[in-house]
Amino acid sequence: MSDTTNRRPNFSNLPENVNNRSHNALNIKPTAAKKLVIKNLKSEPKLPDDYREQTWKKLKSAVLAIQQSKPNEYSLEELYQAVENMCNHKMAFLLYQKLYSLTEQYVAHNIEQFLTESMDRYLFLKKMSDTWQAHCNQMIMVRSIFLYLDRTYILQNHISSIWDMGLELFSKYILLNTLVQTRVVEGLLMLIEKERQGDQVDRTLLKSLLRMLTDLQIYDKAFEQKFLQATERLYAAEGQRLMQELEVPDYLAHVDKRITEENERVIHYLDPATKYQLIHTVEKQLLREHVTQILQKGLDQLLCEFRLEDLSLLFNLLSRVKNGLVDLCSAFNAYIKKKGRTIVIDPEKDKTMVQELLDFKDSMDNVVNNCFHKHERFGNSLKEAFENFINQRTNKPAELIAKFVDSKLRAGNKEATEEELERLLDKIMVLFRFIHGKDVFEAFYKKDLAKRLLVGKSASVDAEKSMLSKLKQECGGGFTSKLEGMFKDMELSKDINQAFKQHLTVNSRDLPQIEMTVSILTMGYWPTYQPMEVTLPDQMVRLQDVFKDFYLSKHSGRKLQWQPTLGHCVLKASFKLGPKELVVSLFQTLVLILFNDCYELAFDYIKEVTNIEDGELRRTLQSLACGKARVLIKIPKGRDVQDDDRFRFNDEFTNKLFRIKINQIQMKETTEEQKATEERVFQDRQYQIDAAIVRIMKMRKTLSHNLLISELYIQLKFPVKPADLKKRIESLIDRDYMERDKDNPIQYNYVA
């Protein structure tokens, strides 16, 4: 039906004289222009005496026909006109009252039917839904008839519109009738509970009835509170039960499924305003109440088994509850510390410690990046945990990391490409940042670097310099200055050797045809090596003397000290199956050339002739007679070299390679070397502590013991115990660098 609010009044029922009078008023003569005058009617048209009753009777029959779903005998146009006429003749109030009363009677009658009819819950809900839908449709049709009343009288007097009146009446009889309301709400809760249990329910019915409660503005009080209470009871019991029955991954999957289901209920039939409280209730009962148990029961397993999907789900779920991520981060931190300690503390794992740490760091980084969405809290916690456990064992991780770098820079491109080696060095630097005893790393790294450079075992100069650059960037130039000096020495040595060769060419002498290369090492840059006197062949001694004279002529005032422990040679050897070249240490060389004159030699004889230190000689003979390339035969056979052992040249020696490297013995660290390196670190630390104490006291002049200790902890870059600091303070007092205050023994004074 078209909107007739602005329709012009119909004057067809007005008396004839009124029409004529209006016509005369609009009569215009052609000869003269006159003003248009519209005169007010002096009296309204008179309605028949029974007009109100007859018109209402017509309207009432139409409303009843709509309510009873029967055909209407009057047209909608005619009914609309009747309402308009009654409103225009000041019958709007009466019309509204009669319509209100008629609607109320119908609604009350319908509600009473629910009390008399016996039916099950589902049928009751279905009946209520149908009644509600019918009522809404009826009110729409009624409003279309009484639209003029709705848009004039009702709007002007600020009373309930016809639609609102219908809602208020329906709500009135629902609210007044506790039984009806209770049955509706209980029926709704029953259907939702069945759906939660996995049964199929009529969601359209649920949506219709919940929309009814929303439209009637009783959704909050009548349904929502009871629904949330039922939800809380259900999930509280379910959470307690399933935490006992299910493994954590299965429980997490169940919780995620429940949250998804409740979100779908909001989409399909619940009021959107219920969503926050509903999901919060589910999260509280299934997650917040069980966070501690979930983490204790399942986190370690998920991390150990590297179950990324389950860890992602755990993070996403715990991020929904208060302090969930805080608890997860604490448990994550505790796991890393516990797992890390098992790697670091156990001495049996020293050989694999660094690789295990790298693998462990990679896996935990993967968890943080892919499962925990690179959350800053977890990244910081990971770093703190690694720094904590890696320093639980003083100095050892630093030493092993240095040795691991050595093994990779020696193997280098044989095991990985340059890009892979570079990535590995970056990962090692991450571990390096965690260790406190960086001076221990420096000492062992320096010792191993020296061997790689001097024995020619460094696989890649670029990789060596890349590692040096990383250390310099991390610790500064002071940390790497000596290491850089070692590289400079090697480059200068190349120039010196080139000049020496030219010198020999120009000043030819009757020298043995031996090619000699000498590395000139600045004592302050390189590790300290114990001088060892051995008996060299005359040919080698002559070449050494020639080089010494040449070098000192170029650099007067300097002193050369030969280090035979670092020398290596290439020997040409003849076997029955053909010649070979043997790459061996100088000590191995001294032993092997003895067999040019003798086929078999005793241990004591070798020791006497070579003058090699006993332990070093035994290691040397082991490498030649008990290793993979056995160019000597030990008599009797055995791993250890005894005083009465004899050695014979192995003329039957075979190897598929022409050049065979047997000088790996120089790369292996002896127990004495390790102890010497540790002792060197200890001495350096004592010097640093003494220097720090003097520096502080010189600036402060007077300082209490506790404040001095606090200052030292700030300045020193390595871990130190209070007892060690106390010893150094006592040492400085004994050497008169500082003194105790006479009046206050726990206070020190600087002695100028």
Side-chain angles (χ1 to χ4, degrees):
M1 180 179 177
S2 61
D3 191 347
T4 57
T5 305
N6 299 318
R7 288 180 54 180
R8 295 176 60 188
N10 187 346
F11 293 102
S12 59
N13 294 328
L14 295 178
E16 185 178 353
N17 60 337
V18 175
N19 285 331
N20 291 336
R21 195 179 307 168
S22 297
H23 177 73
N24 291 334
L26 297 173
N27 187 20
I28 302 173
K29 293 181 180 182
T31 56
K34 292 185 177 181
K35 292 183 178 180
L36 176 63
V37 179
I38 300 176
K39 296 182 179 180
N40 294 328
L41 297 175
K42 292 183 178 180
S43 61
E44 294 181 357
K46 188 176 181 181
L47 299 175
D49 294 338
D50 60 348
Y51 178 79
R52 185 175 65 184
E53 288 75 12
Q54 292 300 323
T55 304
W56 170 245
K57 184 177 180 181
K58 185 190 301 184
L59 293 170
K60 180 180 179 181
S61 68
V63 173
L64 291 174
I66 291 172
Q67 291 174 343
Q68 297 167 9
S69 301
K70 294 180 179 180
N72 199 334
E73 57 182 306
Y74 303 102
S75 67
L76 194 59
E77 180 73 19
E78 184 178 357
L79 296 170
Y80 183 92
Q81 188 64 59
V83 171
E84 184 177 349
N85 289 338
M86 288 188 73
C87 290
N88 288 335
H89 288 84
K90 299 181 180 180
M91 300 178 192
F93 175 71
L94 180 66
L95 186 62
Y96 184 80
Q97 280 190 322
K98 287 183 174 294
L99 179 60
Y100 185 94
S101 177
L102 186 61
T103 305
E104 185 175 25
Q105 290 174 14
Y106 175 74
V107 172
H109 174 73
N110 272 346
I111 297 301
E112 287 174 3
Q113 283 186 327
F114 288 102
L115 302 176
T116 57
E117 295 185 31
S118 177
M119 60 187 83
D120 62 23
R121 284 185 178 180
Y122 180 77
L123 190 59
F124 172 82
L125 294 177
K126 185 71 174 155
K127 183 77 173 174
M128 174 59 74
S129 177
D130 293 343
T131 302
W132 164 250
Q133 293 294 339
H135 175 74
C136 291
N137 293 332
Q138 291 163 10
M139 292 307 300
I140 291 172
M141 296 176 68
V142 168
R143 182 177 180 274
S144 66
I145 295 174
F146 290 85
L147 188 62
Y148 190 83
L149 173 69
D150 208 26
R151 292 188 170 178
T152 54
Y153 173 78
I154 292 174
L155 191 63
Q156 293 166 4
N157 289 276
H158 305 290
I159 57 178
S160 297
S161 66
I162 294 174
W163 173 256
D164 290 340
M165 175 191 72
L167 293 181
E168 289 167 2
L169 289 172
F170 206 92
S171 175
K172 174 182 176 182
Y173 284 91
I174 291 270
L175 290 170
L176 289 177
N177 198 315
T178 308
L179 179 60
V180 174
Q181 185 185 125
T182 302
R183 290 190 70 183
V184 169
V185 173
E186 288 181 351
L188 290 169
L189 295 177
M190 175 202 70
L191 288 181
I192 295 173
E193 184 178 357
K194 282 188 174 183
E195 187 180 44
R196 283 171 170 166
Q197 293 172 353
D199 296 341
Q200 292 288 335
V201 298
D202 188 348
R203 284 187 165 182
T204 305
L205 176 61
L206 282 166
K207 183 176 182 179
S208 173
L209 292 172
L210 290 170
R211 179 65 60 85
M212 175 189 77
L213 297 181
T214 301
D215 290 344
L216 298 179
Q217 298 182 355
I218 60 172
Y219 177 88
D220 297 348
K221 293 182 180 179
F223 171 77
E224 187 179 55
Q225 294 180 2
K226 294 179 180 178
F227 168 68
L228 293 174
Q229 290 170 359
T231 301
E232 186 169 12
R233 288 193 299 271
L234 170 69
Y235 288 125
E238 184 174 276
Q240 293 287 346
R241 176 173 55 83
L242 294 183
M243 272 306 301
Q244 303 299 323
E245 296 176 359
L246 299 179
E247 294 296 326
V248 168
D250 298 329
Y251 183 80
L252 295 175
H254 176 79
V255 174
D256 187 53
K257 177 172 170 285
R258 282 303 201 188
I259 293 175
T260 301
E261 290 173 352
E262 297 303 333
N263 275 311
E264 288 179 353
R265 289 187 181 95
V266 174
I267 294 172
H268 286 97
Y269 52 78
L270 291 172
D271 191 305
T274 307
K275 179 177 179 178
Y276 173 78
Q277 288 180 282
L278 171 62
I279 302 303
H280 177 74
T281 300
V282 178
E283 293 168 349
K284 179 176 182 293
Q285 297 303 325
L286 294 183
L287 289 173
R288 181 63 262 173
E289 297 294 330
H290 305 287
V291 167
T292 302
Q293 193 173 358
I294 289 171
L295 295 175
Q296 290 178 348
K297 184 178 179 181
L299 179 62
D300 286 9
Q301 178 187 358
L302 297 181
L303 290 169
C304 282
E305 297 176 3
F306 206 51
R307 299 175 65 163
L308 298 183
E309 290 186 8
D310 292 327
L311 287 168
S312 296
L313 180 57
L314 175 64
F315 178 86
N316 293 335
L317 290 176
L318 293 187
S319 65
R320 306 174 70 102
V321 299
K322 184 179 180 181
N323 294 328
L325 292 185
V326 175
D327 294 339
L328 175 59
C329 189
S330 297
F332 179 63
N333 182 277
Y335 167 80
I336 295 173
K337 289 178 180 177
K338 181 174 67 175
K339 175 73 173 178
R341 278 181 59 86
T342 63
I343 299 173
V344 170
I345 296 299
D346 188 0
E348 295 182 1
K349 290 190 174 183
D350 283 358
K351 291 183 179 180
T352 60
M353 178 197 291
V354 179
Q355 188 59 56
E356 286 189 46
L357 287 176
L358 290 173
D359 294 341
F360 185 45
K361 183 65 167 56
D362 280 346
S363 64
M364 292 302 99
D365 282 340
N366 199 345
V367 169
V368 171
N369 293 334
N370 297 322
C371 303
F372 298 161
H373 307 298
K374 299 182 181 179
H375 196 291
E376 185 179 2
R377 180 195 298 274
F378 288 86
N380 293 336
S381 181
L382 172 61
K383 294 175 184 176
E384 186 275 328
F386 260 79
E387 184 175 357
N388 176 276
F389 76 72
I390 209 170
N391 291 292
Q392 293 291 310
R393 190 176 175 196
T394 308
N395 298 337
K396 198 63 179 180
E399 173 191 335
L400 294 177
I401 291 172
K403 291 178 179 177
F404 183 83
V405 174
D406 173 59
S407 69
K408 295 304 175 183
L409 291 178
R410 274 195 285 126
N413 296 331
K414 294 179 182 179
E415 294 185 1
T417 63
E418 290 185 5
E419 293 77 9
E420 290 172 337
L421 181 58
E422 186 70 16
R423 287 196 294 270
L424 178 62
L425 294 179
D426 286 335
K427 292 179 180 180
I428 290 171
M429 287 304 301
V430 173
L431 294 183
F432 173 76
R433 292 186 189 105
F434 294 137
I435 61 176
H436 291 163
K438 290 182 171 59
D439 55 342
V440 176
F441 173 91
E442 180 193 14
F444 282 94
Y445 183 82
K446 179 180 177 181
K447 174 180 65 67
D448 294 331
L449 173 62
K451 284 189 175 182
R452 292 196 302 274
L453 294 177
L454 296 175
V455 184
K457 284 295 182 179
S458 182
S460 170
V461 176
D462 291 339
E464 293 282 6
K465 292 189 175 180
S466 174
M467 185 64 189
L468 195 63
S469 174
K470 296 178 193 299
L471 290 171
K472 187 173 184 178
Q473 185 177 1
E474 183 66 28
C475 302
F479 186 85
T480 58
S481 60
K482 293 182 179 180
L483 303 178
E484 291 173 329
M486 293 165 68
F487 281 96
K488 290 178 182 177
D489 279 351
M490 296 305 294
E491 292 173 1
L492 291 173
S493 295
K494 290 180 182 179
D495 297 336
I496 292 172
N497 280 287
Q498 187 67 32
F500 180 61
K501 288 181 181 179
Q502 293 176 357
H503 171 75
L504 291 180
T505 303
V506 175
N507 303 284
S508 58
R509 301 183 184 182
D510 185 17
L511 293 173
Q513 298 300 309
I514 301 174
E515 184 177 344
M516 183 176 74
T517 302
V518 181
S519 296
I520 306 298
L521 313 181
T522 304
M523 188 172 291
Y525 294 158
W526 297 78
T528 303
Y529 299 105
Q530 288 295 330
M532 187 178 295
E533 295 293 335
V534 294
T535 302
L536 297 176
D538 292 340
Q539 300 95 320
M540 290 186 182
V541 174
R542 288 175 61 193
L543 272 175
Q544 281 187 354
D545 292 340
V546 171
F547 181 85
K548 182 178 179 181
D549 293 339
F550 164 78
Y551 181 77
L552 294 180
S553 67
K554 300 288 185 182
H555 305 278
S556 60
R558 294 189 181 182
K559 181 181 179 181
L560 284 180
Q561 185 180 59
W562 297 96
Q563 291 288 351
T565 56
L566 303 176
H568 62 280
C569 304
V570 178
L571 293 181
K572 294 180 179 180
S574 298
F575 299 96
K576 280 185 178 181
L577 296 179
K580 300 285 184 183
E581 285 187 357
L582 305 180
V583 182
V584 290
S585 70
L586 178 59
F587 291 161
Q588 290 170 325
T589 301
L590 298 181
V591 171
L592 287 175
I593 61 177
L594 294 178
F595 289 90
N596 284 332
D597 302 323
C598 301
Y599 181 68
E600 184 176 310
L601 296 172
F603 172 78
D604 290 340
Y605 176 80
I606 297 173
K607 181 178 180 181
E608 181 182 354
V609 172
T610 61
N611 198 30
I612 300 175
E613 186 269 332
D614 184 88
E616 194 68 42
L617 178 59
R618 293 179 192 273
R619 290 178 64 230
T620 300
L621 289 170
Q622 274 184 326
S623 67
L624 294 171
C626 305
K628 292 182 180 180
R630 300 185 180 186
V631 294
L632 297 181
I633 297 174
K634 178 178 172 292
I635 305 171
K637 293 182 179 180
R639 184 66 183 168
D640 296 328
V641 176
Q642 305 297 334
D643 292 345
D644 56 352
D645 285 346
R646 299 184 65 81
F647 296 89
R648 181 182 300 164
F649 180 69
N650 184 11
D651 197 36
E652 306 291 334
F653 175 76
T654 60
N655 196 295
K656 62 181 180 180
L657 299 176
F658 176 72
R659 173 171 283 203
I660 304 152
K661 296 180 180 179
I662 316 180
N663 68 332
Q664 295 297 326
I665 186 171
Q666 283 181 298
M667 297 302 294
K668 293 180 181 179
E669 182 185 53
T670 64
T671 305
E672 292 76 12
E673 284 182 316
Q674 180 171 353
K675 289 182 179 178
T677 305
E678 292 173 353
E679 180 63 27
R680 195 157 52 248
V681 172
F682 177 74
Q683 290 293 339
D684 288 344
R685 286 185 175 182
Q686 286 191 325
Y687 298 147
Q688 290 183 55
I689 294 171
D690 289 354
I693 294 172
V694 172
R695 189 165 54 247
I696 293 169
M697 292 303 303
K698 188 174 183 180
M699 180 176 64
R700 296 295 187 90
K701 305 301 182 184
T702 299
L703 203 62
S704 68
H705 176 80
N706 291 337
L707 287 176
L708 176 58
I709 297 296
S710 299
E711 286 280 352
L712 287 171
Y713 276 125
I714 294 172
Q715 290 199 17
L716 296 174
K717 302 301 182 183
F718 50 84
V720 61
K721 297 177 182 178
D724 295 333
L725 296 179
K726 188 175 181 181
K727 288 180 181 178
R728 302 318 305 159
I729 292 172
E730 294 292 340
S731 173
L732 290 171
I733 291 174
D734 292 340
R735 287 179 283 164
D736 295 330
Y737 282 94
M738 54 193 290
E739 64 182 7
R740 283 191 175 87
D741 192 294
K742 295 178 181 179
D743 299 326
N744 188 357
I746 62 171
Q747 184 164 297
Y748 306 115
N749 297 325
Y750 175 68
V751 178

